[in-house]
Amino acid sequence: MFEPPTERQIQVLRLLAQGLIFEQIAKEMFLSVSTVKNYASDLYSKWHVKNRYEAIKRGAMLGYIDYNLIVNE
């Protein structure tokens, strides 16, 4: 079983799923870009994924993201 994400990690994940880049997420959440990258990186480590796409997929599978909110590239 995976360690559950923090509320902030879920927020970042949901914004990534909407197609936002780190700079946009930082602005939206009133955080620095490096803080946003740290949240994402910590989540990737926690879930043993390599990138945002794997994290989004895992987040959707675990019920943290609504599939309807995911932007298809």
Side-chain angles (χ1 to χ4, degrees), residues 4-51:
T6 65
E7 192 55 46
R8 288 298 230 184
Q9 288 170 337
I10 294 168
Q11 284 178 295
V12 169
L13 182 66
R14 287 180 177 157
L15 293 170
L16 285 172
Q18 290 172 33
L20 274 63
I21 60 173
F22 289 130
E23 289 76 8
Q24 293 169 312
I25 294 170
K27 201 171 187 179
E28 176 105 5
M29 293 178 70
F30 303 102
L31 298 169
S32 72
V33 175
S34 62
T35 299
V36 171
K37 287 180 178 177
N38 283 338
Y39 282 132
S41 176
D42 290 347
L43 182 63
Y44 298 171
S45 297
K46 204 178 265 193
W47 283 355
H48 311 289
V49 296
K50 294 185 184 84
N51 56 47

Side-chain angles (χ1 to χ4, degrees), residues 10 14 47 56-67:
I10 294 168
R14 287 180 177 157
W47 283 355
I56 291 165
K57 189 174 165 185
R58 173 91 17 97
M61 284 173 27
L62 295 173
Y64 292 108
I65 300 177
D66 181 345
Y67 270 114

